[in-house]
Amino acid sequence: MSLDDRKLEVLRAIVEDYVETQEPVGSKALVDRHKLGVSPATVRNDMAVLEEEGYIRQPHTSAGRVPTDAGYRLFVDRLTKIKPLSPAERRAIERFMVGAVDLDDVVHRTVRLLAQLTRQVAVVQYPSLSRSAVRHLELVPISTTRLMLVMITDTGRVEQRLVEMPGPLADGEVWELRLRVNEKLAGQRLADTPPLVQKLVEECAIERRASMTCLASILLETLVERSEERLALAGTANLTRGGVLDFQGTLRPVLEALEEEVILLKLIGDLEPRTTRVLIGDENQIDNLRSASVVSSGYGPGTTIVGGLGVLGPTRMDYPGTIATVRAVARYVGDLLAQN
């Protein structure tokens, strides 16, 4: 059934009131709070149609109505007006982020900021190595037979590995190894580096080949085989702010899901540039999160996505405000990475 504009306005009012008050919404409250231009009897009829169509439900006898997952989805898709953040809100984001000194600081400031602004659980993925490129490779002598390999990516990630060489390094050998690996690998996407690392060995002078072979094995480990992703999480205590109807009355499944990094990566990963994804209730493929909503966005310099960020909370969520905040923070972090 296609809902007319008046019924959609009634649904909008129910969603907005329930999100604000955490109480089921009755027809009298709707008439008192909203200028719907119709009688209470008409509102009751509209609510009956909305309930029949599955957009609202009555949680218990003699109560008002609350939105269903389908109601929230219709609200997000057709009724939500995404307002840009005010200049004051944008300045607050900038002030919070401006002092970041390195990538770790950027990520931790971002996740705290998201949790504070949305009052939900915030998750930020570190820039993925699989989507990054090599900015610089440094070799630092630790002893005559040991080096520290430091890889810096274009997204600011820093990876360090110890390299045990097959024998003492001759004078100038560290300098030459550093020069060769940077000539070959700097600027290359990590995913494209394996054949280039192999060429480093093949093209190396005979007297340097043993050292380069040893270095190459650690390079491959660092550039390609380090598949684990890192996440930052903040605001878990915000889950306790809700009413008895949030999360179907129990937080345990949600908390268990938040402990699994693989689950969190699925929630905020694989997003297109400059898009925001909203998953509501049963739209989540993870059983433990069927009572939650997730708003997420990819971030990165320009149109390149290097990671994801987002927030998780009850389906009773301020969707317009949350979507606007997630979008704005993702854009700001992307611009920050582009500048640095």
Side-chain angles (χ1 to χ4, degrees):
M1 177 179 177
S2 177
L3 298 178
D4 58 36
D5 289 345
R6 191 187 67 231
K7 293 182 180 64
L8 289 173
E9 281 303 306
V10 171
L11 176 61
R12 183 206 300 275
I14 292 171
V15 171
E16 290 176 350
D17 279 11
Y18 182 55
V19 168
E20 181 180 351
T21 67
Q22 302 185 31
E23 296 291 337
V25 182
S27 57
K28 185 177 185 304
L30 289 180
V31 172
D32 291 343
R33 294 176 187 167
H34 301 272
K35 296 178 180 178
L36 298 174
V38 294
S39 68
T42 300
V43 171
R44 283 194 295 273
N45 289 336
D46 289 342
M47 291 176 71
V49 172
L50 289 169
E51 187 170 9
E52 184 180 345
E53 292 298 310
Y55 296 114
I56 60 175
R57 65 183 179 87
Q58 189 175 27
H60 47 81
T61 307
S62 302
R65 295 338 188 243
V66 300
T68 63
D69 290 353
Y72 285 123
R73 172 48 63 190
L74 188 61
F75 175 80
V76 169
D77 289 347
R78 295 185 56 183
L79 302 174
T80 296
K81 295 178 180 178
I82 307 302
K83 298 179 181 178
L85 298 187
S86 68
E89 290 169 322
R90 291 189 176 278
R91 284 195 297 272
I93 293 174
E94 186 171 350
R95 282 198 301 270
F96 196 87
M97 299 292 294
V98 71
V101 296
D102 56 22
L103 182 64
D104 277 328
D105 201 9
V106 168
V107 169
H108 284 98
R109 284 174 184 246
T110 301
V111 78
R112 293 200 308 273
L113 177 66
L114 271 176
Q116 289 174 15
L117 291 178
T118 65
R119 304 181 76 186
Q120 309 290 356
V121 179
V123 185
V124 177
Q125 176 189 14
Y126 277 76
S128 173
L129 286 177
S130 64
R131 299 172 182 172
S132 303
V134 179
R135 176 180 289 174
H136 181 71
L137 289 158
E138 187 58 57
L139 296 176
V140 182
I142 303 297
S143 69
T144 57
T145 60
R146 179 180 289 184
L147 299 176
M148 174 70 76
L149 168 66
V150 182
M151 179 188 70
I152 304 171
T153 72
D154 60 342
T155 54
R157 279 193 68 161
V158 178
E159 299 289 327
Q160 299 180 353
R161 299 298 291 270
L162 279 175
V163 187
E164 295 287 349
M165 305 305 286
L169 296 169
D171 291 342
E173 192 169 357
V174 174
W175 177 87
E176 185 175 338
L177 290 171
R178 182 190 300 120
L179 178 66
R180 297 291 176 228
V181 297
N182 278 289
E183 284 178 345
K184 186 68 72 176
L185 301 175
Q188 301 294 329
R189 286 176 53 84
L190 271 65
D192 300 331
T193 56
L196 300 176
V197 174
Q198 183 59 36
K199 284 187 178 180
L200 277 171
V201 177
E202 294 170 356
E203 297 171 0
C204 186
I206 294 296
E207 63 272 18
R208 299 279 190 264
R209 187 156 296 176
S211 296
M212 184 62 82
T213 299
C214 187
L215 177 58
S217 67
I218 303 300
L219 275 170
L220 285 174
E221 246 182 74
T222 308
L223 295 166
V224 181
E225 295 177 10
R226 289 180 65 91
S227 59
E228 72 268 20
E229 300 290 352
R230 296 170 60 195
L231 293 168
L233 188 72
T236 304
N238 287 332
L239 295 176
T240 64
R241 294 174 41 254
V244 68
L245 295 178
D246 288 347
F247 305 112
Q248 298 174 1
T250 175
L251 278 174
R252 182 172 179 175
V254 178
L255 294 174
E256 289 176 350
L258 290 176
E259 292 180 354
E260 299 292 334
E261 287 199 353
V262 173
I263 289 177
L264 297 180
L265 284 169
K266 286 181 180 178
L267 293 176
I268 63 171
D270 301 326
L271 291 165
E272 296 298 321
R274 304 301 191 195
T275 60
T276 306
R277 180 172 64 194
V278 181
L279 296 175
I280 300 171
D282 283 338
E283 295 172 358
N284 285 300
Q285 298 300 309
I286 297 139
D287 288 340
N288 282 5
L289 296 178
R290 301 283 188 184
S291 61
S293 286
V294 180
V295 179
S296 57
S297 176
Y299 73 87
T303 59
T304 302
I305 294 298
V306 298
L309 56 81
V311 299
L312 179 148
T315 54
R316 183 191 56 79
M317 179 185 289
D318 172 19
Y319 290 100
T322 301
I323 292 170
T325 300
V326 168
R327 282 182 180 175
V329 171
R331 186 174 293 113
Y332 191 88
V333 175
D335 292 345
L336 205 59
L337 291 178
Q339 294 167 14
N340 292 281

